[in-house]
Amino acid sequence: MVGSSLEASPAGSGPRVVSSADLLDGSREIIIRHVGEDYRLRLTRAGKLILNK
């Protein structure tokens, strides 16, 4: 199941929470560029997330 809300954490209370629905924005995969490297975040048919380099 893909979340659809963005939950804000109070400053200093832990990591920021971002829903997968907000990240994917209707698509099944996105590319995340980190330190010059590309990573693919993909939503499977079973509703799971896979991150590959």
Side-chain angles (χ1 to χ4, degrees), residues 16-34:
R16 185 172 67 129
V17 177
V18 179
S19 75
S20 59
D22 288 339
L23 280 175
L24 294 167
D25 194 26
S27 63
R28 304 233 13 121
E29 70 179 29
I30 60 171
I31 303 297
I32 301 170
R33 186 159 292 140
H34 176 70

Side-chain angles (χ1 to χ4, degrees), residues 3-53:
S4 62
S5 66
L6 180 63
E7 301 171 19
S9 298
S13 69
R16 185 172 67 129
V17 177
V18 179
S19 75
S20 59
D22 288 339
L23 280 175
L24 294 167
D25 194 26
S27 63
R28 304 233 13 121
E29 70 179 29
I30 60 171
I31 303 297
I32 301 170
R33 186 159 292 140
H34 176 70
V35 192
E37 299 283 338
D38 287 349
Y39 295 81
R40 182 179 310 269
L41 181 65
R42 185 169 56 93
L43 178 62
T44 68
R45 287 185 205 148
K48 299 188 184 223
L49 293 174
I50 298 176
L51 180 67
N52 288 15
K53 185 169 181 183

